[in-house]
């Protein structure tokens, strides 16, 4: 399951609107892999929203480190945030979000921490 937006190269300073100083945030996994994510998508996760809208360094830098979340799990969380935003106000049947059984437990822990 792949989202076409994942393959697009993004610069952290790209801005699609004038409302926010940074329309992208950078998420860094435990292994140091960097993921650029549209800010509006990141705000779908409650913990990410609190970090990005509160009085935290993450809000100023648009950069969040996740030393306990591996790259493959963080990537799946990002895929879910895209899925959530895409289908939040859907009026048609929502397709199932696919999760491989071998990552289910680790993904559950990350989703619980991120409250998404």
């Amino acid at each position: 399951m792949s989202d076409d937006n994942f393959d697009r190269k993004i610069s952290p300073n790209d801005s699609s609107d004038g409302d926010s100083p940074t329309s992208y945030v950078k998420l860094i996994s435990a292994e140091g892999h960097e993921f650029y994510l549209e800010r509006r998508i990141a705000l779908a996760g409650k913990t990410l929203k609190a970090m990005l809208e509160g009085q935290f360094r993450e809000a100023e830098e648009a950069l969040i480190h996740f030393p306990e979340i591996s790259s493959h799990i963080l990537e799946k969380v990002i895929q879910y945030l895209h899925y959530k935003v895409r289908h939040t106000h859907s009026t048609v049947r929502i397709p199932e979000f696919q999760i491989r059984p071998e990552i289910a437990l680790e993904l559950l822990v990350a989703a619980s921490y991120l409250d998404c």
Side-chain angles (χ1 to χ4, degrees), residues 6 17 30 101 108:
F6 267 47
D17 62 22
L108 178 64

Side-chain angles (χ1 to χ4, degrees), residues 11 24 30-32 36-37 40 46 50 52 54 59 63 65 68 72-73 76 78 80 84 86 90 94 99 103 116:
S11 167
Y24 291 91
E31 298 88 356
Y36 289 95
L37 179 62
R40 69 178 183 86
K46 293 178 184 176
L52 294 170
L63 171 70
H65 291 270
E68 301 296 323
H72 71 282
I73 295 298
K76 195 67 173 178
I78 292 168
Y80 175 74
K84 181 178 179 180
R86 177 180 294 149
S90 180
I94 298 172
I99 300 171
I103 68 165
C116 59

Side-chain angles (χ1 to χ4, degrees), residues 27-111:
L27 309 180
I28 302 176
S29 71
E31 298 88 356
H33 293 123
E34 299 176 351
F35 298 89
Y36 289 95
L37 179 62
E38 285 182 74
R39 184 180 184 86
R40 69 178 183 86
I41 303 293
L43 295 177
K46 293 178 184 176
T47 300
L48 292 173
K49 182 176 182 169
M51 292 172 140
L52 294 170
E53 291 185 339
Q55 298 297 316
F56 299 101
R57 182 181 65 201
E58 291 84 358
E60 294 175 15
E61 298 176 356
L63 171 70
I64 305 174
H65 291 270
F66 293 105
E68 301 296 323
I69 300 178
S70 63
S71 296
H72 71 282
I73 295 298
L74 187 56
E75 181 176 15
K76 195 67 173 178
V77 167
I78 292 168
Q79 288 174 2
Y80 175 74
L81 292 172
H82 277 273
Y83 170 89
K84 181 178 179 180
V85 168
R86 177 180 294 149
H87 297 294
T88 293
H89 299 292
S90 180
T91 57
V92 297
R93 182 167 159 57
I94 298 172
E96 183 177 330
F97 184 75
Q98 298 294 316
I99 300 171
R100 294 186 331 266
E102 59 271 13
I103 68 165
L105 182 59
E106 195 175 356
L107 186 60
L108 178 64
V109 171

